[in-house]
Amino acid sequence: MAETIFSKIIRGEIPSHKVYEDDHVLAFLDIGPLSRGHTLVIPKQAVKTVGELSDESAAAIGRVLPRLCRAVQKVTGCEDYNILQNNGAPAHQAVFHVHFHIIPKPNAEEGLGIVWKPGKLENGAELAREIQEALESESR
Ligand code: 5GP
């Protein structure tokens, strides 16, 4: 994978406002916050999408994410927040290094705005079975 600006942030070649670091994870403030406290949580493993993460990186992020959310809630005084995670340019990913956004939602104007157009679930049983089978074939 081509290097992104986040690899340079991990190596300290580009400054960031770091809030957390361990062997596998770095968290820092987003340079273009949607609201105060907008934080990015990234694996040190340089891959583009969640599906490419090693189990070790994924577990490390999962372990620390709730703690980071609580810290952002405490400091911003904002109870409500979104976790946003984009995979691929059509899905609004701009930096091709996996990252999770923690975005406080203090009011209707600030934070993440979402356009949500629900459809109707069709052939759910068949679809669920296909996904189950895909999971099973991966673990074989
Ligand atoms: P994406 O659309 O890929 O999910 O979001 C990328 C995020 O990275 C954006 O919210 C953007 O503001 C943030 N970002 C891009 N470059 C930098 C940077 O150099 N430093 C920091 N702190 N954030 C960045």
Side-chain angles (χ1 to χ4, degrees), residues 18-72:
K18 194 191 296 183
V19 301
Y20 175 83
E21 182 167 20
D22 65 28
D23 288 348
H24 300 286
V25 181
L26 180 70
F28 53 97
L29 297 180
D30 194 297
I31 205 167
L34 293 184
S35 57
R36 182 171 173 270
H38 184 163
T39 298
L40 297 175
V41 185
I42 70 173
K44 290 188 174 174
Q45 184 188 10
V47 293
K48 179 180 167 188
T49 63
V50 163
E52 296 167 272
L53 280 174
S54 67
D55 285 356
E56 197 176 30
S57 292
I61 288 177
R63 193 161 46 239
V64 76
L65 194 55
R67 253 190 283 157
L68 286 163
C69 291
R70 288 193 295 272
V72 171

Side-chain angles (χ1 to χ4, degrees), residues 106-119:
N107 54 53
E109 284 73 42
E110 295 173 90
L112 183 66
I114 300 179
V115 178
W116 192 280
K117 295 187 204 159

